[in-house]
Amino acid sequence: MSEPERLQKILARAGIASRRVVEEMIEDGRVVVNGEVAELGQRADPDVDAIEVDGVLVGVRPDTVWYLLNKPAGVVSTASDPQGRPTVVQLVPEEPRVFPVGRLDAETEGLLLLTNDGEVTHRLTHPSYGVEKEYLAHVEGTPARGALRRLREGVELEDGITAPATAAMVSPGVVRLVIHEGRNRQVRRMCEAIGHPVVRLVRTRIGPLVDTALGPGEWRPLRQDEVRALERAAVPTPPPT
């Protein structure tokens, strides 16, 4: 257990804002500690106390890490592989140990998160939280308007109809598809169902995260503001009224 510190020091170190701005946030009632609105000058222990800013839990534990990886084709989204194929975990630092957030199948490329934060991982992967994932699907042929409409309205698969998606043609044979479910090989199966099998599939966005500068196999740590944006995105979808 660490020694209690002033909140403005803890939150500034976590990258939320400068100490002066954090003090203003505390005065405005935007900071909550263990369910109670914080006061200026209050101390807290980041290893014990739950600290929230604008309703989002702040990840201030020093051992929590987040990596954004541009996964190449041929790499599997697991910590180990019995077939001896390269894994995403081998592309990032060995310590601390991290795990992929969800999966991309071996031949799918693009953005993948790895972390040791189990709570946020659950929220990012559970369909009830509705975190969007965007893909560029290079397909055989060029889908007609009716085929795109099926993607938008929901496609009947062997495990049930898909939720409505966003689908648009980017160029001939290339579809931008945004989904918020996480079924196995879902985008590939959706495109197969409309008669346009996938030739190449690239994930280009996870919730608010986009990075066109990462080359295949490259990774970088997330900034604190990006982690907070992910946490804000991973809120439960309200039930229909």
Side-chain angles (χ1 to χ4, degrees):
M1 185 180 300
S2 58
E3 290 293 325
E5 298 177 283
R6 291 186 183 275
L7 276 173
Q8 55 264 45
K9 181 178 180 180
I10 295 172
L11 295 177
R13 186 173 64 240
I16 302 302
S18 68
R19 289 198 190 187
R20 178 174 295 180
V21 173
V22 169
E23 289 175 355
E24 295 174 356
M25 297 169 75
I26 294 172
E27 290 178 331
D28 292 340
R30 296 167 59 188
V31 180
V32 172
V33 179
N34 299 328
E36 301 289 336
V37 177
E39 298 180 356
L40 194 61
Q42 182 173 339
R43 292 176 177 268
D45 183 343
D47 290 334
V48 175
D49 297 311
I51 304 172
E52 299 176 52
V53 176
D54 296 333
V56 177
L57 191 65
V58 177
V60 293
R61 289 174 48 201
D63 60 339
T64 299
V65 297
W66 284 88
Y67 301 134
L68 183 65
L69 170 72
N70 183 356
K71 189 187 91 64
V75 178
V76 295
S77 300
T78 56
S80 61
D81 182 64
Q83 300 178 37
R85 294 173 295 181
T87 72
V88 292
V89 172
Q90 294 170 338
L91 298 177
V92 299
E94 292 184 10
E95 297 294 337
R97 190 180 184 189
V98 294
F99 299 90
V101 179
R103 291 189 178 186
L104 294 176
D105 64 66
E107 294 310 311
T108 298
E109 307 163 50
L111 298 183
L112 182 71
L113 288 166
L114 296 99
T115 185
N116 55 1
D117 189 330
E119 178 185 351
V120 181
T121 294
H122 169 73
R123 289 190 287 161
L124 288 171
T125 54
H126 198 284
S128 67
Y129 290 87
V131 178
E132 292 184 341
K133 289 93 173 177
E134 181 177 301
Y135 298 82
L136 286 181
H138 300 246
V139 299
E140 294 182 7
T142 299
R145 291 182 179 180
L148 294 176
R149 188 183 311 115
R150 290 180 61 194
L151 294 175
R152 297 183 187 121
E153 295 176 350
V155 179
E156 186 67 49
L157 302 177
E158 61 269 21
D159 52 354
I161 192 167
T162 61
T166 301
M169 295 299 304
V170 176
S171 60
V174 182
V175 180
R176 177 180 291 112
L177 194 61
V178 181
I179 64 173
H180 57 80
E181 299 176 287
R183 305 191 202 182
N184 184 43
R185 301 175 65 87
Q186 180 174 339
V187 172
R188 292 182 183 275
R189 292 190 292 142
M190 290 173 70
C191 293
E192 181 82 31
I194 64 168
H196 294 274
V198 168
V199 176
R200 181 189 180 202
L201 186 60
V202 182
R203 183 153 72 184
T204 56
R205 179 169 64 87
I206 304 171
L209 296 181
V210 178
D211 193 326
T212 58
L214 279 180
E218 294 182 346
W219 65 274
R220 66 170 176 85
L222 290 189
R223 302 185 307 270
Q224 185 63 225
D225 64 299
E226 292 176 317
V227 175
R228 294 186 68 233
L230 272 179
E231 292 173 336
R232 285 194 296 269
V235 295
T237 303
T241 56

